[in-house]
Amino acid sequence: MSLLHGILNVVYVFMQIFTGAIGVYQIVMSVFGIWHRREKVIHGPKKRFAVVIPGHNEERVVGSLIDSLKAQEYPAELFDVHLIADNCTDHTADVGRLHGAIVHERTDKEKRGKGFAIEWILEKFQASHKDYDAIVMFDADNLVDPSFLTIMNDKLCRGHKVIQGYLGVKNPFDSWVSVSMAISYWFSNRMWQKARQNLRLSCSLGGTGLCIDYNLLQEMGWEATGLTEDLEFGVRCVERGVVPIWAHDAKVYDEKPTDILSSFRQRLRWMQGHFHCARYHMVPLLKQGIRERNMVKLDAGIYLFQPARFLILFLTSLMMLLQISTPKDTVMSHITNLLPTDFWVGVNVFMYLQMPLALLLERVNWRAYFGLAILPLFLWTWGPVTLQAFFTKANRKWSHTVHKRAIRLDQIRSR
């Protein structure tokens, strides 16, 4: 038993070193997210957009999204709204037409999922020789701020090729699960995404609110049909020297699950896709980043390690409980005590304390601060999610998240 305990101590030490080092790295990076000033739009309307909405059985929510797009401050003649009714068995297509979208009905029982739907519509655009300057992608449950396309036009005119909009949550106070997700997003938007934008590093693509230069897309091809098609495409951009940028003021609001089981399934899909992408791209990016002294690639490689970090944090928390419940008179337990264990634990505590700072900087509704009390429990649930994702990372089957709330943009603003 003492030998086993010693081995566990060694493993525990190395796990703390890994997670602690990455935690320190993120803390340093997040400092650069504190500063934000709204960037002035200096270019008038010029770019022509194809707004693409992949949707599977989204009749309850897609109408509100299309209405928010029709209310854009950008000239209506410079963008088209394309709704892909993907393998739908409800009235998604009818709702889309009623609200003024160009509807494309797709039926393919083998190639199911958002990535395949996007690839399909892009092939249709290419075959019809559409003269678009950029493609903008939204999920069917989204709502879009009126200035979104105006900001994307300005970014494209400045020479940027891949732009990620701000990812807000339209139902943060529906349940403890949705408010926990919202806090995570507010933190990520400010202390992760905005920080990297200020440092001129690559942001991570969120799958919605994404704008891509059409010529670049034709040159690269979409080729992102996995469970996290956004991550795949973003990584390929970084590998070829294209840096996706963050547009903090171009806001998109997304519906989040309100119960833990739906949230578990959604996050499981994210982590499965993340592990799959990391398998092929993490080590090459880290090697290229070190060899080329390229901080953009190095940081992108570190980001691909994040699911493994979640897994390590979960396992170390279990090992900590094991240590507490077993004798501490082994040789290896003394070795463990020689390391600044409290410091590494403190790193993760300090990262948690950045959450209320992010809420303050983002000026969110005061009710969000009450969610901080339950947030540690929600964060801990990432452990089982990531553990299952690790053992099922070969799964490529798309899992649809059901959306129910037809919230309007004015309802969000009134909060």
Side-chain angles (χ1 to χ4, degrees):
M1 182 63 185
S2 60
L3 178 60
L4 175 61
H5 191 67
I7 293 174
L8 290 177
N9 267 320
V10 173
V11 173
Y12 181 47
V13 168
F14 280 105
M15 284 183 172
Q16 286 189 82
I17 291 174
F18 271 115
T19 58
I22 294 176
V24 170
Y25 173 78
Q26 176 53 34
I27 289 171
V28 173
M29 299 292 282
S30 65
V31 171
F32 294 89
I34 294 176
W35 180 83
H36 170 66
R37 183 174 64 183
R38 189 179 183 93
E39 191 173 26
K40 185 178 179 180
V41 173
I42 60 175
H43 295 93
K46 178 182 177 182
K47 302 296 183 179
R48 180 169 171 78
F49 295 95
V51 179
V52 175
I53 309 167
H56 172 70
N57 291 347
E58 302 285 9
E59 63 180 6
R60 296 181 181 180
V61 295
V62 73
S64 298
L65 167 60
I66 298 171
D67 289 345
S68 71
L69 290 168
K70 293 294 183 179
Q72 287 291 297
E73 298 167 352
Y74 202 69
E77 65 273 13
L78 288 180
F79 69 95
D80 297 322
V81 179
H82 296 269
L83 170 63
I84 310 169
D86 187 29
N87 291 289
C88 291
T89 57
D90 67 352
H91 297 288
T92 296
D94 296 331
V95 173
R97 294 189 187 96
L98 181 64
H99 287 263
I102 302 170
V103 177
H104 308 263
E105 297 189 61
R106 174 179 181 266
T107 303
D108 190 326
K109 302 301 181 183
E110 297 299 323
K111 296 181 177 181
R112 301 172 63 93
K114 179 179 173 182
F116 288 112
I118 292 173
E119 189 174 59
W120 178 79
I121 196 68
L122 293 177
E123 290 174 355
K124 290 191 68 173
F125 289 164
Q126 189 170 14
S128 60
H129 304 288
K130 293 289 187 180
D131 59 342
Y132 293 121
D133 296 301
I135 305 294
V136 182
M137 303 176 190
F138 295 107
D139 288 338
D141 62 297
N142 293 164
L143 293 173
V144 186
D145 191 81
S147 63
F148 187 92
L149 290 181
T150 299
I151 295 173
M152 290 298 167
N153 171 76
D154 187 65
K155 298 291 186 185
L156 290 167
C157 290
R158 292 172 185 262
H160 301 293
K161 301 294 186 182
V162 182
I163 309 141
Q164 174 63 57
Y166 182 104
L167 300 175
V169 177
K170 71 180 187 181
N171 63 325
F173 305 116
D174 281 1
S175 72
W176 73 275
V177 174
S178 63
V179 75
S180 297
M181 287 294 291
I183 293 172
S184 300
Y185 269 70
W186 286 319
F187 167 78
S188 175
N189 288 338
R190 192 59 181 255
M191 315 307 283
W192 189 287
Q193 302 277 42
K194 182 58 184 175
R196 279 159 175 76
Q197 178 59 31
N198 287 341
L199 289 168
R200 300 182 184 277
L201 299 175
S202 170
C203 72
S204 57
L205 302 185
T208 189
L210 173 61
C211 177
I212 306 173
D213 178 84
Y214 190 47
N215 289 333
L216 174 68
L217 196 51
Q218 288 183 309
E219 178 186 338
M220 289 181 58
W222 178 241
E223 298 178 14
T225 55
L227 299 181
T228 49
E229 73 292 326
D230 49 340
L231 180 63
E232 292 179 44
F233 186 80
V235 166
R236 287 173 54 222
C237 286
V238 171
E239 287 176 338
R240 65 187 289 129
V242 177
V243 181
I245 71 159
W246 176 253
H248 199 76
D249 299 310
K251 297 192 175 182
V252 180
Y253 301 92
D254 188 29
E255 181 182 332
K256 294 303 175 190
T258 57
D259 64 274
I260 193 64
L261 290 179
S262 297
S263 173
F264 191 100
R265 287 192 295 268
Q266 184 184 66
R267 290 180 290 152
L268 176 62
R269 171 168 54 83
W270 292 347
M271 290 295 99
Q272 286 170 334
H274 206 130
F275 272 121
H276 182 82
C277 191
R279 176 184 176 185
Y280 296 100
H281 298 280
M282 183 181 72
V283 173
L285 276 172
L286 291 174
K287 287 182 177 179
Q288 291 172 26
I290 295 172
R291 184 173 62 250
E292 301 170 13
R293 298 182 181 178
N294 187 316
M295 192 61 194
V296 174
K297 292 184 178 181
L298 185 62
D299 184 70
I302 292 173
Y303 175 69
L304 289 178
F305 183 74
Q306 287 303 313
R309 179 176 179 271
F310 291 154
L311 186 58
I312 291 172
L313 283 172
F314 177 63
L315 294 176
T316 52
S317 69
L318 295 179
M319 292 177 69
M320 185 179 296
L321 292 175
L322 179 62
Q323 283 188 322
I324 292 174
S325 61
T326 54
K328 299 184 179 180
D329 57 352
T330 64
V331 174
M332 290 307 302
S333 65
H334 295 292
I335 296 177
T336 302
N337 291 331
L338 293 176
L339 289 168
T341 302
D342 293 339
F343 172 74
W344 297 118
V345 174
V347 167
N348 292 299
V349 171
F350 191 81
M351 288 188 68
Y352 174 79
L353 293 178
Q354 290 182 323
M355 297 287 186
L357 174 60
L359 300 188
L360 181 65
L361 293 172
E362 289 299 281
R363 300 179 182 179
V364 303
N365 188 288
W366 58 270
R367 288 182 291 170
Y369 291 90
F370 289 101
L372 292 170
I374 199 68
L375 183 63
L377 174 61
F378 180 81
L379 294 177
W380 190 86
T381 66
W382 277 100
V385 169
T386 310
L387 184 63
Q388 182 174 343
F390 178 77
F391 289 108
T392 60
K393 56 181 176 289
N395 174 58
R396 306 286 284 174
K397 184 179 179 181
W398 178 267
S399 175
H400 176 60
T401 301
V402 178
H403 300 115
K404 304 176 181 179
R405 295 286 305 278
I407 302 172
R408 300 188 310 275
L409 198 58
D410 60 299
Q411 290 176 295
I412 295 177
R413 290 173 170 174
S414 65
R415 290 172 177 165

